[in-house]
Amino acid sequence: MDRTTNSSGTQRTPLQQLATEAGLLVDWEDAASRPMHVADDVLRAVLHSLGLPAGTPAQVSESQARLRAEAEEVAIPPLVTGVVGQPIVLQTWAPQAALLDGQTYRVDLESGGSTEGKVSASASEHHATLRLGPVTAVGYHRLTIDAGPGTLIQATLAIAPARCYGVADALRQHKRQTDTRVWGTSAQLYGLRCGAERAASSAGLGDYTAAGALAQQLARHGADALALSPVHAMFTADARRYSPYSPSSRLFMNAWMIDPTALFGEEAVRQAVVDCNLVADYARLEAAPLIDWPASGNARMTVLRALHHRLLQAPLGDTTAQMLLDDFRAYCIDGGISLRDHAHFEALNAHLGPAHWKQWPEQYQDPSYLGVQAFAREHEDAVNFHLFLQWAATRQWALVQRTAESAGMAIGLIADLAVGTDSAGSHAWARQRDLLIGVTIGAPPDLFNAQGQDWGLTTFSPRAMRTQGFSAFIEMLRAVMAVPGGVRIDHVLGLMRLWVIPDGAQPLDGVYLRYPMHDLLRLVALESWRNRCIVIGEDLGTVPAGLRETLAEDGLLGMRILWFEREYTRDDAPFKAPHTWAPASVAMTSTHDLPTLAGWWIGNDLRWQVQLGLLPPGMNETEAYARRMDDRAALVAAFAEHNRLVLADGGVPMIGVAPLQAALEQARAANAAQAEVILQASAQDFATAATVFTGAAHTPLALVPLEDLLGLVEQPNLPSTIDTHPNWRRRLPAPAPTLLDAPTVQGRLSALANARISLS
């Protein structure tokens, strides 16, 4: 068998060489820095998902020839990225590209006008390097190169600003001091409660109107941002699939979060509930402490379907209905083919049941098939209903952002971009040539997850990204950035590489797949400015060396979480002082996947881990509780040291540090039952102190989850669980309009605001 040799001198087989050229990391290091090697079967499966069959030696040779031919035949890819004011350097595997040296090129600017220059090209044994002069205008421009008599080479030139739109830019946009240290909260949208006047028509689910009410309340306390759980489109016909991080499509909106009363008024919705015989169901769902997703989702859809029918039947003299219909029709025209594909999928999914679209009758397995068009004509009302849902959700989402900004928020909503989509969903069905089919994404084993993680999602193919000019990626960015003032990119590490796992395999049996990070970061920066949207990257976990620095240079804010801000190079791992936290980041007390402040203090997360067998390998219950007591002492010691520094600078000290120290001493000396009582009694004081401590970080933005502002014990999601913990089902304790009214909460909000003001 022919073999090649890598840079370390290790021989590689043709299969491994093909995998390497396709962007797979055949050799890698795990979280403990141990060298790992990917099995051939894994490489074959992932290569197949990339459109490169490798089941036999002949297929390996054919795929390698195809991959190289693709690279060598295209002198310039369909889209080239660059940074404004900087020379454009493009490496290509097409040796003939060197023949472009000295040829004339023209850049037709998006905003009008053009610029010209001459290509500078050089060649090495395997590739060519092209250089173009700087372009001084940001945007998507048209590049044309005169390649000789009668031959023109054209491409899109995406010229990005040097960094993403930032918090200072948002403040400047609102004519405020750009060095203001702003703050906000994060909330699970589905868990918000409606006001008393809408309780009878809420079906026990939060909605976009409740988010607007919460934004108004937060703004009154000085908040500038409200980060929400993902609002991506789900499987409307199957409310059992309700994890917000496992959407059907990231291009469209969650229809379950629509507020029917915002469209039709409270009386019309109450009447629809009566007409649909859902009065008792709505009352039961509103009274339930946890969300019953199948019941609530179906109940809300039933009422929306009835109201949609009523809208279509409105008499011509009903001017309000006609205005809604006119706006709806305009939205459908603007939405184009992507919107129609999504509506077709939703109607098909409701008609055919919950099976994966690959198991549908063949005539429905691709949106371009004539069978899909025939189905859409035969089920026009169903398709129209799903178009209506997207129109309603999109308009209400935009109204929430306008409400937040009108209330005084500089940023307003921060949307959450899930790392991928369900392979059985609308996006994968409609974009089969752009997404990875046959693999899921996740994470290899690490210190926190010994078995690794399989998220059950798929995402874009990097090979398709290049060949298709990044069109699907840009479409997604525009969809998620169009409305909110910010976006959080879940697992931002995926812009550099993703752990992909063949369908049916264990998480360990995966491989890292490289992505064109610099191209993607430039597109993120370009779209963030076009949409005036700040960008936060969830950079937790096993982070490749240098990645955080790269993200910071490009203006993406990282996430610094209180629990993880420790000096791990020291044996006692003390908590870091807030003024030492990375400035190019968002300071946060916790996240939806981690314990709340009060829950951590009383050890509620440990009780769940013990109950469900989720303690770290080799750790027993006694050791876990002893370690937590040490961690409490270390964090309170950090509070005390921060207090000392604040007092030395003449600042306002934190409240309650001495009582927390006393409570810890008492808890250490008490038995388990007594210690629990002592910790319970001091949990709210701890939540306030930890909030202020985090708020003192020298970062442009601080986000405190709503659960921490309210002093709640339970966290929204417990990783590594599905049915054993009520993930994504918890409801907040009071309606959004009055949620922040309790004196303890008001005091915590005031303390957080003061901590941020003192930094400005």
Side-chain angles (χ1 to χ4, degrees):
M1 181 180 289
D2 294 337
R3 293 177 180 269
T4 58
T5 303
N6 66 14
S7 59
S8 64
T10 304
Q11 287 188 325
R12 283 185 174 163
T13 66
L15 172 65
Q16 294 165 349
Q17 184 64 25
L18 170 63
T20 300
E21 292 180 9
L24 302 180
L25 299 184
V26 177
D27 299 291
W28 59 286
E29 288 188 352
D30 68 5
S33 298
R34 294 173 300 194
M36 306 292 286
H37 185 78
V38 180
D40 286 354
D41 287 347
V42 174
L43 298 179
R44 292 190 186 96
V46 177
L47 285 167
H48 182 77
S49 76
L50 290 168
L52 299 168
T56 66
Q59 287 182 333
V60 170
S61 297
E62 292 169 3
S63 291
Q64 194 164 46
R66 185 184 312 116
L67 191 63
R68 291 179 177 176
E70 284 178 3
E72 293 173 0
E73 290 172 2
V74 180
I76 294 181
L79 182 141
V80 177
T81 67
V83 177
V84 67
Q86 297 182 14
I88 298 163
V89 181
L90 171 66
Q91 283 198 341
T92 172
W93 292 101
Q96 71 271 22
L99 300 176
L100 298 174
D101 186 48
Q103 295 295 113
T104 299
Y105 71 85
R106 186 181 74 253
V107 178
D108 293 308
L109 301 175
E110 183 180 25
S111 59
S114 64
T115 182
E116 295 184 351
K118 290 188 179 298
V119 178
S120 173
S122 59
S124 65
E125 182 179 356
H126 298 295
H127 67 269
T129 301
L130 305 182
R131 293 178 174 83
L132 310 178
V135 177
T136 57
V138 168
Y140 294 93
H141 314 307
R142 192 64 180 164
L143 170 67
T144 303
I145 300 177
D146 184 351
T151 304
L152 298 177
I153 298 175
Q154 293 190 317
T156 297
L157 196 56
I159 300 299
R163 58 169 177 80
C164 291
Y165 185 83
V167 173
D169 301 303
L171 289 165
R172 185 179 298 109
Q173 180 72 24
H174 288 78
K175 297 180 173 55
R176 290 171 54 188
Q177 291 291 329
T178 57
D179 59 353
T180 302
R181 304 287 186 174
V182 302
W183 64 275
T185 189
S186 59
Q188 304 301 307
L189 175 58
Y190 56 82
L192 297 179
R193 291 180 185 265
C194 304
E197 70 283 357
R198 294 197 298 119
S201 55
S202 76
L205 276 179
D207 57 34
Y208 297 115
T209 299
L214 176 60
Q216 287 180 315
Q217 297 302 313
L218 288 163
R220 289 173 187 166
H221 291 277
D224 279 294
L226 171 57
L228 291 173
S229 51
V231 292
H232 303 312
M234 306 301 289
F235 297 81
T236 305
D238 187 2
R240 295 169 299 176
R241 290 167 144 170
Y242 53 79
S243 168
Y245 290 94
S246 299
S248 173
S249 175
R250 294 178 290 182
L251 300 181
F252 300 102
M253 301 293 298
N254 188 327
W256 292 326
M257 300 297 103
I258 295 170
D259 170 21
T261 65
L263 291 170
F264 301 100
E266 295 169 18
E267 184 55 39
V269 175
R270 288 196 186 97
Q271 187 59 50
V273 171
V274 172
D275 294 343
C276 295
N277 296 316
L278 289 172
V279 174
D281 290 329
Y282 265 62
R284 174 180 61 82
L285 294 169
E286 178 58 24
L290 295 173
I291 295 171
D292 180 343
W293 276 101
S296 290
N298 292 336
R300 184 164 282 181
M301 284 301 106
T302 298
V303 168
L304 281 168
R305 192 173 282 106
L307 294 168
H308 170 246
H309 179 75
R310 170 180 167 172
L311 177 64
L312 295 180
Q313 300 301 317
L316 292 177
D318 188 337
T319 56
T320 300
Q322 293 307 313
M323 288 177 60
L324 292 176
L325 285 170
D326 289 345
D327 188 57
F328 168 51
R329 293 177 184 121
Y331 168 80
C332 291
I333 293 171
D334 291 341
I337 191 170
S338 293
L339 175 61
R340 290 196 300 275
D341 284 346
H342 178 71
H344 291 167
F345 175 90
E346 283 280 83
L348 279 163
N349 194 46
H351 183 73
L352 298 173
H356 195 291
W357 54 262
K358 290 191 289 187
Q359 298 171 347
W360 290 354
E362 186 175 358
Q363 67 266 31
Y364 300 141
Q365 290 185 13
D366 190 291
S368 64
Y369 287 172
L370 293 178
V372 174
Q373 311 310 313
F375 175 88
R377 289 191 297 271
E378 294 166 6
H379 300 82
E380 183 178 358
D381 288 347
V383 172
N384 191 273
F385 174 60
H386 291 291
L387 293 171
F388 160 79
L389 292 178
Q390 287 306 309
W391 164 74
T394 300
R395 294 298 190 252
Q396 290 188 10
W397 181 236
L399 178 59
V400 181
Q401 176 64 13
R402 292 197 300 272
T403 299
E405 290 187 310
S406 297
M409 286 189 170
I411 298 170
L413 296 177
I414 298 177
D416 203 333
L417 176 61
V419 67
T421 59
D422 193 313
S423 67
S426 157
H427 202 187
W429 177 73
R431 285 285 196 171
Q432 295 175 40
R433 295 157 191 82
D434 292 287
L435 272 67
L436 295 169
I437 306 297
V439 299
T440 62
I441 57 177
D446 58 27
L447 300 177
F448 298 100
N449 291 278
Q451 302 303 314
Q453 300 176 66
D454 183 344
W455 301 327
L457 305 171
T458 190
T459 191
F460 300 111
S461 162
R463 183 179 175 216
M465 280 180 164
R466 296 185 184 93
T467 60
Q468 301 299 318
F470 297 87
S471 58
F473 182 74
I474 294 169
E475 180 185 34
M476 180 197 69
L477 289 179
R478 290 175 176 171
V480 76
M481 290 183 176
V483 169
V487 61
R488 170 193 177 272
I489 300 178
D490 192 33
H491 194 68
V492 74
L493 285 62
L495 297 181
M496 178 181 183
R497 68 183 190 185
L498 275 172
W499 186 254
V500 295
I501 308 159
D503 285 348
Q506 297 298 313
L508 176 61
D509 298 322
V511 59
Y512 275 118
L513 174 61
R514 292 198 303 267
Y515 280 76
M517 179 178 68
H518 293 294
D519 290 321
L520 300 181
L521 287 174
R522 287 168 181 169
L523 292 171
V524 168
L526 178 52
E527 290 298 329
S528 82
W529 274 96
R530 289 166 80 93
N531 292 281
R532 296 205 300 269
C533 185
I534 73 165
V535 184
I536 301 168
E538 190 260 303
D539 56 348
L540 307 177
T542 305
V543 183
L547 178 60
R548 282 178 173 152
E549 290 76 12
T550 298
L551 297 177
E553 289 173 3
D554 286 1
L556 279 81
L557 297 172
M559 288 171 53
R560 301 284 71 84
I561 312 299
L562 172 63
W563 309 132
F564 303 143
E565 288 302 294
R566 306 186 69 166
E567 297 286 358
Y568 288 110
T569 56
R570 288 176 45 177
D571 291 340
D572 57 346
F575 283 87
K576 296 179 181 179
H579 70 270
T580 67
W581 294 17
S585 61
V586 178
M588 301 180 67
T589 52
S590 191
T591 75
H592 56 262
D593 287 334
L594 296 170
T596 65
L597 293 176
W600 184 89
W601 181 254
I602 68 174
N604 185 66
D605 59 313
L606 297 182
R607 283 193 283 274
W608 275 107
Q609 290 176 35
V610 170
Q611 177 183 332
L612 301 178
L614 296 176
L615 287 175
M619 180 180 292
N620 60 38
E621 181 177 353
T622 301
E623 292 170 335
Y625 280 102
R627 178 174 295 183
R628 177 57 55 83
M629 189 62 78
D630 291 340
D631 288 342
R632 293 185 188 105
L635 186 49
V636 172
F639 293 169
E641 176 60 16
H642 174 67
N643 244 357
R644 186 186 68 79
L645 294 174
V646 169
L647 287 170
D649 288 340
V652 179
M654 292 170 56
I655 299 173
V657 176
L660 287 175
Q661 291 174 315
L664 270 183
E665 291 179 8
Q666 295 171 15
R668 281 185 179 279
N671 60 38
Q674 293 170 333
E676 183 174 349
V677 173
I678 294 168
L679 293 171
Q680 288 274 4
S682 54
Q684 295 305 310
D685 288 339
F686 172 77
T688 300
T691 295
V692 173
F693 184 79
T694 302
H698 292 195
T699 61
L701 174 63
L703 289 175
V704 179
L706 199 53
E707 290 81 7
D708 288 342
L709 290 178
L710 299 175
L712 303 182
V713 167
E714 300 288 359
Q715 64 197 72
N717 179 57
L718 183 61
S720 301
T721 65
I722 299 177
D723 298 321
T724 53
H725 181 271
N727 295 332
W728 318 119
R729 295 181 59 202
R730 299 195 184 281
R731 305 183 69 197
L732 293 171
T738 60
L739 189 60
L740 309 177
D741 289 353
T744 302
V745 179
Q746 299 240 341
R748 195 167 292 139
L749 287 165
S750 178
L752 173 59
N754 289 335
R756 300 302 288 168
I757 290 172
S758 66
L759 296 171
S760 300

